Amino acid sequence: MDSSSFPDVESSNSENSSIKTSGGGGGGGGGASSSSGGGGGGGASILSRYENQKRRDWNTFGQYLKNHRPPLSLNRCSGAHVLEFLRYLDQFGKTKVHTQICPFYGHPTPPAPCPCPLRQAWGSLDALIGRLRAAYEENGGKPETNPFGARAVRLYLREVRDLQSKARGINYEKKKRKRPPPAAVTGDAPPSAPSDES
């Protein structure tokens, strides 16, 4: 019963499609523009894919706490419980992580099947923790007591990233943000001013 909700947590990270922010894009469910009155049937008007996933993840974690033995309340939840949750989610993983004794250790595309375990991908766990960290604070939690931001959780994620990087032969590099040109940031320079002189 409780495990049926957990695949939702991991499956959202397998797609990288764009976030939909407009309603009525589906196949005929009474678009917001065509219906009059009613006042937003369904509570939350138009949520992005991220917001929907964050809500599902938060509900899943809440269910995990209820099913925990003994049951845990959110205010008693610690980084150790978050780690326990992440390890529990590994059983629903779809990412092959080779062991050091596997002949395909370090190969990004192994030529044959092997008995190595399936795990949650590091990127999925990292995104999940980010969403749960935000949801915790949106639901009244204080940033300084956020179990999803605990040092142990950050260290665990780093360890998983390093292990999977070596085992799968994939280099996880941080994406570099594009910075706007200095003239656009300050706003003081006139638009016709030369920005790059050689």
Side-chain angles (χ1 to χ4, degrees), residues 25-176:
S33 61
S34 64
S35 64
S36 60
S45 56
I46 301 168
L47 295 177
S48 68
R49 182 174 174 265
Y50 170 80
E51 292 296 328
N52 279 325
Q53 188 60 49
K54 184 169 59 172
R55 181 179 40 79
R56 282 195 302 269
D57 293 343
W58 183 248
N59 291 339
T60 299
F61 186 71
Q63 191 64 43
Y64 176 79
L65 292 179
K66 282 181 195 168
N67 293 334
H68 191 273
R69 293 290 169 244
L72 277 170
S73 62
L74 188 59
N75 59 356
R76 292 185 155 271
C77 181
S78 68
H81 296 112
V82 174
L83 294 180
E84 198 177 284
F85 176 64
L86 294 178
R87 289 184 187 111
Y88 172 77
L89 289 178
D90 264 343
Q91 69 182 303
F92 304 108
K94 297 177 184 172
T95 301
K96 180 78 75 168
V97 180
H98 302 288
T99 61
Q100 288 185 333
I101 59 170
C102 178
F104 305 130
Y105 182 82
H107 291 271
T109 53
C114 68
C116 294
L118 294 173
R119 303 263 188 242
Q120 289 286 344
W122 165 76
S124 298
L125 294 177
D126 191 48
L128 171 67
I129 290 299
R131 289 189 301 268
L132 288 173
R133 192 173 182 178
Y136 178 85
E137 293 175 19
E138 287 172 10
N139 285 281
K142 296 178 183 174
E144 58 272 10
T145 61
N146 193 332
F148 303 102
R151 186 173 191 273
V153 174
R154 291 194 313 269
L155 291 174
Y156 176 78
L157 287 174
R158 188 179 308 154
E159 184 181 305
V160 168
R161 182 193 64 197
D162 294 345
L163 176 98
Q164 289 188 8
S165 175
K166 290 174 188 165
R168 300 177 63 214
I170 297 171
N171 190 9
Y172 294 114
E173 292 196 15
K174 213 173 195 178
K175 292 180 183 174
K176 294 181 181 178

Side-chain angles (χ1 to χ4, degrees), residues 178-191 193-197:
K178 292 183 181 178
R179 296 181 187 239
V185 173
T186 60
D188 295 336
S195 60
D196 57 325
E197 295 182 33

